[in-house]
Amino acid sequence: MEDCIPSEDRRSPAFCDDENHSDFCEESSPEDAEIDVFGGLAALPVEVCERRPTCLRCGRPQKVCLCPFLPVHPLEVSTCLYIVQHPAEESRVLRTVPLLAACLPSGKCNVIVGRRFSEERYPDLAAVCRDPRTLIMYPGPGAQNLEELLTSYPEARSLGYNVILIDGTWSQAKDLFLRNDLLHLPKQVQLSSTLSSQYVIRTQPTNICLSTLECAALTLSTLERKESIREVLLRPLNALCTFQLQHGAQVHHSKEHLLRNGLYDRPMPKNKRKIKRMEKLVTDQNI
């Protein structure tokens, strides 16, 4: 311990054992000793940890860069995406939105971070929400299947849609949608596809819940009438999951899968509404 204390601090009352300083030691209070100890520690040099170099395109550390799995040139699409992102998503390591943005041209994937979106503070978002060409992808009783919408209005494909996607956990996405009136202005749509999520390194509520990247891939391939778009956008996601699994990550089954197969090992919630929601995951075949 003494090697860590500067020489001038070794003569402080906290470390005094010399007879010539006995009177001084007796008069020293425990508070003074504590101050001297921490004062010495505060004088020690602090090592600053350097962050790993990050790829400017995919946002991943350079050693695990996913750019080889991204398209050489950004995909040409007429649809413009607006990602309304919960602030908590910014700090997550395994995010899919940076991969999505890296695959699209500049201006076609716009990320707006926040919890509350008023027309005064977010006039640009408000203008998008009031645009008749704007759709918001959020499942629910009031949502129309995207495929049916395009069948009913085939001429609308040529307009070039705006699509709002909510990025966050499912509870965060629900909170963002319910608490922001602006997000209720666009036409609400949902995907009818029963594709299982390939984002197996994060837990989803049900087997058919998709990540933001997967949702965008299906939406764009439907609106642009190009199945190849989905394949191109899912390629970096599959590479990310494969890399994580090869380095110790485990496959995360959905909560629905765990409950139906008796594998759910967490304490059951005490809230009746949450219990009813979990029971629905097990019993509702059309969830």
Side-chain angles (χ1 to χ4, degrees):
M1 179 65 181
E2 289 184 355
D3 293 335
C4 299
I5 306 298
S7 58
E8 61 269 18
D9 289 324
R10 295 178 187 174
R11 296 180 58 83
S12 66
F15 299 92
C16 180
D17 58 358
D18 192 280
E19 293 181 358
N20 295 331
H21 298 280
S22 59
D23 293 339
F24 189 81
C25 290
E26 291 175 0
E27 295 176 0
S28 301
S29 65
E31 290 79 4
D32 293 333
E34 185 176 348
I35 291 174
D36 286 332
V37 171
F38 286 104
L41 292 176
L44 293 175
V46 178
E47 294 184 3
V48 179
C49 296
E50 295 184 0
R51 297 188 64 179
R52 292 183 294 175
T54 302
C55 174
L56 297 179
R57 186 182 182 194
C58 69
R60 298 274 295 164
Q62 289 182 359
K63 289 186 177 180
V64 289
C65 173
L66 292 176
C67 287
F69 303 95
L70 299 177
V72 177
H73 303 289
L75 296 173
E76 291 296 331
V77 294
S78 60
T79 306
C80 192
L81 298 181
Y82 291 86
I83 313 296
V84 176
Q85 187 177 79
H86 191 280
E89 281 296 311
E90 287 187 294
S91 60
R92 293 186 182 275
V93 177
L94 303 176
R95 297 178 296 157
T96 63
V97 170
L99 298 178
L100 173 62
C103 294
L104 299 176
S106 176
K108 291 297 184 179
C109 184
N110 307 280
V111 181
I112 308 165
V113 182
R115 287 187 176 88
R116 301 294 176 263
F117 302 95
S118 64
E119 191 160 3
E120 294 74 21
R121 294 185 60 188
Y122 296 89
D124 292 341
L125 176 61
V128 171
C129 290
R130 295 185 183 280
D131 191 324
R133 298 173 300 167
T134 300
L135 308 173
I136 183 166
M137 186 63 62
Y138 188 83
Q144 183 178 1
N145 287 338
L146 181 61
E147 295 84 351
E148 295 177 0
L149 174 67
L150 297 181
T151 302
S152 304
Y153 303 99
E155 67 280 0
R157 291 180 183 269
S158 60
L159 297 177
Y161 280 104
N162 303 313
V163 178
I164 297 176
L165 302 174
I166 303 178
D167 185 43
T169 66
W170 285 90
S171 60
Q172 291 168 350
K174 181 179 180 181
D175 181 74
L176 286 174
F177 181 75
L178 294 180
R179 293 181 181 272
N180 288 282
D181 293 337
L182 277 182
L183 301 183
H184 297 175
L185 296 178
K187 186 171 186 59
Q188 185 178 344
V189 295
Q190 62 187 5
L191 296 169
S192 60
S193 173
T194 56
L195 177 72
S196 295
S197 176
Q198 300 177 38
Y199 194 28
V200 295
I201 54 177
R202 282 183 66 175
T203 304
Q204 307 290 354
T206 72
N207 294 331
I208 60 174
C209 287
L210 304 177
S211 66
T212 303
L213 175 57
E214 291 171 312
C215 184
L218 286 173
T219 300
L220 288 175
S221 63
T222 301
L223 292 177
E224 304 288 330
R225 290 180 290 182
K226 291 181 181 179
E227 184 64 23
S228 60
I229 290 179
R230 186 179 75 173
E231 299 173 1
V232 172
L233 290 180
L234 293 185
R235 193 178 300 140
L237 177 66
N238 291 331
L240 171 64
C241 292
T242 299
F243 177 84
Q244 294 298 128
L245 293 174
Q246 290 175 346
H247 290 78
Q250 295 182 346
V251 173
H252 287 228
H253 294 290
S254 70
K255 187 181 293 184
E256 174 193 0
H257 174 88
L258 297 176
L259 288 170
R260 288 186 174 179
N261 292 276
L263 302 174
Y264 192 77
D265 57 358
R266 296 185 179 183
M268 295 298 288
K270 297 180 180 180
N271 185 290
K272 291 183 179 180
R273 185 169 55 182
K274 291 184 178 181
I275 293 176
K276 185 178 294 187
R277 191 183 306 149
M278 295 182 74
E279 290 175 348
K280 188 176 182 180
L281 287 177
V282 180
T283 59
D284 193 348
Q285 299 297 324
N286 299 314
I287 190 164

